[in-house]
Amino acid sequence: MRYEDLADLPCSITRPLVILGDRWTLLILKASFAGVRRFNAFQSALGISRSRLQDRLARLVEHDILARRQADGGDHVEYRLTRKGHDTYPILMAIRDWGDTYMAPDGPPAHYRHHDCTGEAHARLTCDACGTDVTAHDIAPEPGPGILAHLGRPGAGQSADGQQG
């Protein structure tokens, strides 16, 4: 299966990976949250080639994660996080938490402090009904409306976990 074809699978993990699933895209988002907005600033902060940066920025704009617009004063173009872009923050925080746990032998390289109380921000999985923290051991995937609609289409034959059925 081609990488682009993954976007057609009825899976809410696989589909976003088509857009977000490479290191440069995630690093562009990380830089955006740090206030980087200009093409040249992304390039110098990340050391990414111009063509790859153009490609990744275009993809993020196409999917309404970043918005390309003239800066105040109109002398240059900038890339700003949209609401959809801001909603990627928990993804980055989950990656950061994992990295701090397993890839930071000398301790976290940065602390992400809450402005109001100076506590540290972390990604957490909770049940939306009872509020309990959950792990993979507490989860039981079951078919949702998206897979059921997909299974009703001609030529479809995949289970809820994206496997051919």
Side-chain angles (χ1 to χ4, degrees):
M1 176 177 293
R2 292 181 17 200
Y3 187 71
E4 296 80 21
D5 295 336
L6 294 173
D8 297 330
L9 292 178
C11 176
S12 294
I13 294 173
T14 305
R15 286 177 177 168
L17 284 175
V18 173
I19 302 165
L20 303 173
D22 72 86
R23 68 176 177 230
W24 292 117
T25 301
L26 293 174
L27 290 172
I28 289 166
L29 289 172
K30 177 182 175 268
S32 295
F33 282 106
V36 176
R37 295 184 179 142
R38 296 177 71 167
F39 185 94
N40 290 339
F42 282 113
Q43 190 177 24
S44 66
L46 301 174
I48 185 173
S49 72
R50 292 184 69 77
S51 62
R52 183 158 288 143
L53 179 57
Q54 287 171 330
D55 175 70
R56 297 316 188 274
L57 288 172
R59 184 184 317 154
L60 290 167
V61 169
E62 174 188 350
H63 289 280
D64 194 35
I65 295 168
L66 292 177
R68 184 179 188 273
R69 66 179 199 203
Q70 285 299 122
D72 295 337
D75 60 338
H76 63 276
V77 170
E78 61 183 21
Y79 296 87
R80 304 288 297 252
L81 288 158
T82 62
R83 172 146 177 90
K84 189 175 176 180
H86 277 277
D87 285 346
T88 65
Y89 196 66
I91 298 166
L92 295 175
M93 293 300 286
I95 293 169
R96 192 260 349 213
D97 281 346
W98 188 88
D100 283 354
T101 300
Y102 297 105
M103 301 185 80
D106 298 323
H111 293 284
Y112 289 73
R113 299 281 184 209
H114 179 213
H115 291 299
D116 292 345
C117 72
T118 70
E120 186 141 2
H122 295 280
R124 289 178 48 195
L125 286 177
T126 58
C127 173
D128 69 350
C130 69
T132 301
D133 286 353
V134 294
T135 70
H137 298 289
D138 303 311
I139 306 298
E142 54 186 55
I147 191 70
L148 299 175
H150 178 76
L151 291 173
R153 294 187 193 132
Q158 296 191 347
S159 64
D161 64 2
Q163 301 297 312
Q164 290 293 331

